[in-house]
Amino acid sequence: MSLSGTLVGLTWFAASMLFIFGLRALGSPRTARRGMHMAELGMALAIGGTLLHHEIVSLTGIAVGLAVGALLGSAIALFTPMTHMPQRTALSHAFGALAAALVGIAHHGEHALALDLVQRSALSFEVMFGSLTVTGSLMAFAKLQGWLPGRPITFRGQRALNLALFAAIAGLALYAVLSPGAATQFHLMVLLAALFGVTLVLPIGAADMPVVIALLNAYAGLAASATGFALENSILIVAGALDGASGLILSILMCRAMNRPITNVLFGAFGKLAATEQGESAEGARAVQSTSPEEAALLLDGAERVVIVPGYGMAVSQAQHQVKKLSDLLAERGVDVRFAIHPVAGRMPGHMNVLLAEAGVEYDRLYDMEAINDAFARTDVAIVIGANDVVNPAARTQQSSPIYGMPILDVERARSVLVLKRSMSPGFAGIENELFHRPNTLMLFGDATKSLEHLTGELKAMAPGKSA
């Protein structure tokens, strides 16, 4: 083996180890930052090792790509607000899958006749998953960004169309594998796979976007790993396999958190518009107890234990920094303050954790659903900030509800519940929230950031324990 080949092998091995240990470090909030740095270093080594590969004949085009990619990546990192991380993640999946698909298409065009059966199979698999991930991720981005309705977009015969598309894609892929010169069938498979990505994601409601994003992450990883097999590139095989496996595991965990099978997520049309309209009309007929920042401050002034439950409304209002200020003020007054994090709160896995970490909330204050639910019965005030379906008791009491059986945060067990919300509009599932009508629930309507500012100001003006 030549010196350059040895260096490539060593750098790829080091990069693989950094990817593996970096992913392991992401399992804990305390080591997550170190894990990200390890992964970044691993990617730098992977790129550096690839540049030494003997098949590279010119660095000019690569240098242009590196410069453009670095500039775009820096701009995205600097100017994308933390509240838009779900959209940015969806775009990242689209870009990664597009790269894999383009490499596969180019490689097939140049070397199809010279590839063996395994390589052709990997190439077809790569391009198929890469193409559907590109368009599927773009549809997810459009839904998260509000360019498309968050509700499921369905039409008559949609499932039959999806099944027909899938069968056609599988048949064309098989034909391309068995017939190396079948360029027309190969490119038709690419187009149908891209169309399938659109029809697959459009009927999925915004409530299931966390699972969809994790699943698209798995698809992008599988496409990258297949690229590695087709190109005989070990670092792509390792990185893609890690990405694909972690995305699939995360999808399964998210589905378990919602007590729904993946097939139900993909084909269940969770959060139909009709349900939303029914929820809105039903809520209008029932009374709620509204409150003011002054009254809410009095409620908190006499509390010893407070649990804060963040939801997507906190992200929309960008209220995480004001949440941190309120929690710090309560802690200074001797209050035991904890944060309850539901695994599917927000629009991507870990959405609430990311926002609270950006605001500087200490990791040891964050509790997952299993760790915090027993504490609600001993909680004086539970503050719900923009969360809806993940605290809805209907998940336990109404068998006809689309969220029935989904594990929820036991907020209603607290002595008092303070809900910060813009209006009585339903959540992603489009159903009425029983919690809002409970006798121990108070609704503080308005923008979460402004409400928290007023609430914090009123609490600061009080001497600790005034209302006790």
Side-chain angles (χ1 to χ4, degrees):
M1 181 180 292
S2 64
L3 178 60
S4 62
T6 302
L7 288 175
V8 170
L10 289 174
T11 53
W12 283 358
F13 176 77
S16 299
M17 293 298 100
L18 286 169
F19 288 150
I20 293 171
F21 289 116
L23 184 62
R24 176 66 181 86
L26 291 175
S28 169
R30 296 186 182 277
T31 58
R33 188 182 297 273
R34 184 171 72 245
M36 286 300 300
H37 291 326
M38 293 171 70
E40 290 167 358
L41 179 57
M43 182 56 68
L45 287 176
I47 294 173
T50 303
L51 294 177
L52 298 174
H53 200 279
H54 69 278
E55 291 186 2
I56 294 179
V57 296
S58 174
L59 295 176
T60 304
I62 295 176
V64 173
L66 284 173
V68 173
L71 288 174
L72 289 177
S74 298
I76 292 173
L78 291 173
F79 297 110
T80 300
M82 294 299 290
T83 50
H84 290 176
M85 280 299 105
Q87 295 94 306
R88 191 210 63 75
T89 302
L91 276 183
S92 293
H93 294 160
F95 292 153
L98 179 61
L102 290 177
V103 169
I105 293 171
H107 196 65
H108 183 273
E110 293 183 6
H111 308 289
L113 296 176
L115 299 176
D116 59 30
L117 183 64
V118 173
Q119 290 175 319
R120 292 198 302 273
S121 300
L123 199 62
S124 296
F125 186 86
E126 164 205 345
V127 173
M128 177 177 64
F129 268 90
S131 298
L132 72 88
T133 302
V134 172
T135 52
S137 298
L138 291 177
M139 292 304 101
F141 168 82
K143 280 178 171 279
L144 294 170
Q145 188 66 20
W147 294 355
L148 288 175
R151 61 177 174 82
I153 301 175
T154 59
F155 54 86
R156 187 181 299 275
Q158 188 169 48
R159 293 186 182 180
L161 173 62
N162 282 351
L163 288 174
L165 279 174
F166 180 79
I169 292 167
L172 289 169
L174 180 61
Y175 188 87
V177 170
L178 299 178
S179 304
T184 301
Q185 290 80 359
F186 181 83
H187 292 124
L188 180 58
M189 182 265 290
V190 174
L191 292 176
L192 291 181
L195 177 60
F196 185 61
V198 175
T199 61
L200 185 67
V201 175
L202 282 182
I204 301 175
D208 287 325
M209 277 302 115
V211 180
V212 173
I213 288 178
L215 203 56
L216 290 171
N217 179 73
Y219 291 165
L222 291 174
S225 187
T227 305
F229 279 104
L231 301 180
E232 297 182 346
N233 186 310
S234 59
I235 189 63
L236 270 177
I237 295 173
V238 173
L242 289 172
D243 195 18
S246 60
L248 181 59
I249 292 171
L250 184 57
S251 301
I252 294 172
L253 292 176
M254 300 292 281
C255 285
R256 286 180 179 175
M258 296 190 299
N259 197 29
R260 302 180 67 208
I262 288 182
T263 53
N264 189 252
V265 170
L266 294 176
F267 306 112
F270 187 55
K272 295 181 179 178
L273 181 61
T276 301
E277 292 170 347
Q278 292 169 2
E280 288 174 342
S281 62
E283 282 186 299
R286 299 178 62 183
V288 298
Q289 301 180 78
S290 61
T291 188
S292 65
E294 294 80 10
E295 293 174 340
L298 287 172
L299 182 67
L300 291 174
D301 185 49
E304 295 182 358
R305 299 180 182 87
V306 171
V307 175
I308 299 175
V309 181
Y312 182 65
M314 185 186 76
V316 172
S317 181
Q318 301 187 38
Q320 60 269 25
H321 296 283
Q322 201 59 44
V323 170
K324 173 67 161 58
K325 292 180 181 178
L326 175 62
S327 66
D328 287 346
L329 178 60
L330 290 171
E332 291 172 3
R333 297 163 67 92
V335 179
D336 178 12
V337 182
R338 304 181 185 185
F339 289 81
I341 310 298
H342 194 282
V344 296
R347 288 192 172 182
M348 75 172 186
H351 196 181
M352 298 300 103
N353 302 70
V354 170
L355 294 177
L356 294 173
E358 183 220 3
V361 175
E362 295 83 357
Y363 293 132
D364 56 5
R365 288 191 184 183
L366 307 183
Y367 293 81
D368 60 27
M369 181 171 57
E370 290 77 10
I372 196 69
N373 263 348
D374 289 341
F376 280 110
R378 303 183 299 275
T379 298
D380 297 310
V381 182
I383 306 176
V384 179
I385 305 174
N388 202 323
D389 298 325
V390 298
V391 295
N392 191 343
R396 285 197 298 265
T397 60
Q398 295 184 12
Q399 295 188 16
S400 61
S401 172
I403 65 171
Y404 181 75
M406 182 180 83
I408 62 170
L409 292 165
D410 296 335
V411 170
E412 78 277 7
R413 297 175 62 193
R415 189 174 71 179
S416 299
V417 180
L418 178 64
V419 178
L420 277 66
K421 207 171 183 295
R422 290 178 183 271
S423 66
M424 288 295 294
S425 60
F428 292 142
I431 59 174
E432 179 181 11
N433 193 333
E434 292 183 5
L435 177 70
F436 300 162
H437 307 283
R438 293 292 175 94
N440 62 331
T441 298
L442 296 173
M443 304 291 298
L444 180 56
F445 292 109
D447 177 80
T449 298
K450 294 180 180 178
S451 296
L452 288 167
E453 287 177 354
H454 294 160
L455 177 57
T456 303
E458 291 294 331
L459 196 59
K460 281 182 178 179
M462 296 179 179
K466 177 181 176 181
S467 63

